[in-house]
Amino acid sequence: MKVMVVGGGGREHAIIKKLKESEKVSEIYALPGNGGIANDAICVPIGAKEIDKIAEFATENKIDFAVVAPDDPLVLGAVDALNEVGVKTFGPNKAAAIIEGSKAFSKNLMKKYNIPTAEFEIFDDAKKAYEYLETAPIPTVIKADGLALGKGVIIAQTREEAKDAVRSIMEDKVFGASGNNIVIEEFLTGPEVSVLSFTDGKTLVPMVSSMDHKRAKDNDEGLNTGGMGTIAPNPYYTDEIAKVCMDTIFIPTMEAMNKEGRSFSGCLYFGLMLTEKGPKVIEYNCRFGDPETQVVLPLLKSDLMDIMLKISDKELKESDVEFMDGCAACVVMASNGYPEKYDSGFEIIMPKDKNIYVAGAKLEDGKLLTAGGRVLGVTETAPTLKEAIDKAYETVKTVSFDNAYYRNDIGQRALRA
Ligand code: AMP
Ligand code: GLY
């Protein structure tokens, strides 16, 4: 089969490496991919948001199957466009991708179907939001309704900070139209767990759980990033909690989307917080997480292509998905300065035989050069989490590029759990 993957980060690299293991897959194209992905797929210079060009490329090159990985093209309707030209696709259509594309939609969905989440109010008017904040419990959480490159969530410790957040999102429009509406919600506490799931709208199979490390610096200090590392499975996510999540969150969400006429097919991602009052949904994503995918897929025993084909035929069964018993750790190596200003263009030297997922790099005269904030993720698997973490940091030592930065404590919180 000729397969194409839309996107060009570490997540897409992990998906491509896993698809390559399948006997069913003969050729893989990445749109646009990146300099590191070029080792494992044919990169085509079409951007992930160029929906018309993506559909055109698929038709002209007789692509048998397409995987749309990032949030933007999913929310913009890439799957609908590919289906229109007769290409089988993994990922939700536009109507279902709204579960990530609009936080107002997802919060109202949870309220309507009694799915546990933080208490909230939605505002389309800044004045009303300021009024509400006069008496709202503090700390409070302000969220832009639409996509905001993972930066649309502000945890305000004071009323002033909360009002500043409303001002910048709703009046200064720092996230553009994504800030036309905002959600103000209750501040929750507890360990966070990411659970990705495969679903065809009829069956939902959770993948192995994971833990992201969003802050830039050790001990969860510094700015929020796209994710500086991950481990799987997440030790806080016990079998007992998994059962509660399945019964009160996962299945009810799948069924709620069906009832709304927005049946979800693809990878549905549950961002959960394990509060004293039980697990609650912090966010839904309509796609694989990044860098969660870089620890989850290396632990997948089953053939990923097979699972994706079954999902697109609406024939997914529990038994189709199997994970290994071991653990995985991924350490993200970034350009020093990320998520703010950083220099790039430095040559990357790395081993070829390792699970290294390249996120921000370009090929120039045969050399791989850094070209982004998050440059790559180094994943290792092992029977125990401690071994996986140690191995990942050993491998990190064999990778080098100028201006490299990484956290030294990925997985330490999980080890203490
Ligand atoms: P999101 O972009 O929705 O993943 O949110 C980013 C991060 O903000 C989450 O991973 C949480 O750590 C935090 N967060 C979001 N909503 C809440 C909440 N209601 N209470 C506490 N922390 C939150
Ligand atoms: N790692 C969080 C996300 O993919 O949204």
Side-chain angles (χ1 to χ4, degrees):
M1 286 175 69
K2 275 170 106 173
V3 178
M4 100 189 185
V5 175
V6 175
R11 162 185 55 204
E12 287 75 14
H13 201 180
I15 293 171
I16 286 167
K17 275 188 188 262
K18 198 74 199 179
L19 286 173
K20 263 181 86 175
E21 292 174 12
S22 171
E23 280 177 8
K24 295 197 165 99
V25 177
S26 54
E27 261 173 273
I28 308 183
Y29 295 85
L31 283 64
N34 66 45
I37 289 177
N39 260 326
D40 296 291
I42 302 162
C43 294
V44 181
I46 293 176
K49 290 199 264 185
E50 297 182 282
I51 308 294
D52 294 342
K53 286 191 189 166
I54 290 169
E56 212 177 279
F57 176 85
T59 319
E60 278 173 8
N61 293 278
K62 303 200 165 51
I63 296 294
D64 299 302
F65 197 90
V67 180
V68 182
D71 45 358
D72 280 311
L74 290 167
V75 170
L76 288 170
V79 167
D80 311 62
L82 285 160
N83 288 342
E84 254 167 53
V85 295
V87 179
K88 277 193 175 193
T89 310
F90 178 84
N93 61 16
K94 187 175 178 175
I98 193 174
I99 198 163
E100 175 170 3
S102 167
K103 291 197 194 291
F105 170 86
S106 64
K107 294 298 290 190
N108 281 327
L109 183 85
M110 289 185 267
K111 189 172 181 178
K112 182 168 170 189
Y113 293 94
N114 283 316
I115 297 166
T117 188
E119 297 289 331
F120 69 99
E121 297 285 336
I122 296 171
F123 298 92
D124 60 5
D125 174 23
K127 241 180 79 197
K128 294 217 174 88
Y130 295 134
E131 265 168 42
Y132 172 77
L133 284 172
E134 292 294 340
T135 54
I138 296 293
T140 187
V141 185
I142 319 281
K143 300 186 172 183
D145 174 41
L147 297 182
L149 297 166
K151 293 181 188 148
V153 174
I154 292 141
I155 309 215
Q157 303 293 343
T158 64
R159 268 176 230 292
E160 273 322 300
E161 264 182 59
K163 287 181 192 168
D164 286 346
V166 171
R167 193 169 305 117
S168 71
I169 297 174
M170 296 192 91
E171 301 196 73
D172 302 341
K173 296 270 186 239
V174 290
F175 305 119
S178 286
N180 290 348
N181 294 298
I182 58 165
V183 176
I184 300 185
E185 70 177 30
E186 177 195 9
F187 175 73
L188 299 175
T189 52
E192 282 185 56
V193 183
S194 305
V195 180
L196 322 188
S197 68
F198 288 116
T199 177
D200 59 0
K202 294 196 305 197
T203 305
L204 182 144
V205 190
M207 299 181 220
V208 61
S209 63
S210 55
M211 183 194 286
D212 195 2
H213 297 68
K214 287 200 177 192
R215 300 294 201 92
K217 303 230 165 92
D218 285 4
N219 302 315
D220 295 323
E221 286 168 12
L223 293 170
N224 247 322
T225 71
M228 294 300 293
T230 35
I231 57 97
N234 185 323
Y236 289 102
Y237 193 71
T238 59
D239 289 348
E240 195 187 339
I241 291 173
K243 175 147 191 356
V244 173
C245 290
M246 192 69 179
D247 295 344
T248 65
I249 296 174
F250 304 163
I251 298 295
T253 301
M254 180 183 79
E255 286 173 350
M257 290 298 276
N258 288 338
K259 285 191 192 125
E260 295 295 308
R262 297 174 182 274
S263 182
F264 190 102
S265 170
C267 173
L268 182 53
Y269 166 131
F270 300 90
L272 306 171
M273 197 169 266
L274 309 180
T275 75
E276 278 178 358
K277 292 186 188 150
K280 295 192 181 189
V281 177
I282 289 279
E283 64 164 345
Y284 292 118
N285 290 327
C286 65
R287 51 167 175 88
F288 283 100
D290 190 344
E292 283 90 341
T293 307
Q294 290 92 310
V295 284
V296 170
L297 289 188
L299 292 174
L300 178 66
K301 239 200 268 183
S302 318
D303 182 323
L304 179 61
M305 190 66 245
D306 213 39
I307 296 171
M308 289 182 162
L309 281 167
K310 289 206 171 121
I311 288 174
S312 88
D313 291 337
K314 294 214 172 297
E315 281 173 5
L316 179 71
K317 289 193 282 299
E318 300 284 341
S319 57
D320 295 335
V321 183
E322 219 187 317
F323 282 87
M324 297 170 206
D325 283 332
C327 299
C330 173
V331 178
V332 169
M333 298 181 74
S335 300
N336 193 23
Y338 170 76
E340 295 184 290
K341 250 180 38 195
Y342 55 81
D343 292 327
S344 55
F346 304 109
E347 185 174 2
I348 303 167
I349 307 291
M350 62 183 201
K352 289 229 158 12
D353 56 339
K354 292 285 183 180
N355 271 337
I356 295 180
Y357 303 117
V358 178
K362 60 180 178 192
L363 270 177
E364 236 173 66
D365 303 326
K367 284 184 181 165
L368 189 62
L369 307 180
T370 63
R374 287 189 295 174
V375 175
L376 52 85
V378 174
T379 296
E380 290 285 358
T381 57
T384 68
L385 182 58
K386 171 93 174 57
E387 288 167 282
I389 295 166
D390 290 347
K391 270 173 79 180
Y393 277 105
E394 280 303 309
T395 304
V396 162
K397 283 190 210 145
T398 68
V399 178
S400 70
F401 55 89
D402 283 350
N403 209 31
Y405 170 81
Y406 55 88
R407 274 179 62 162
N408 287 294
D409 66 339
I410 299 303
Q412 292 305 314
R413 184 165 177 209
L415 286 180
R416 288 196 299 270

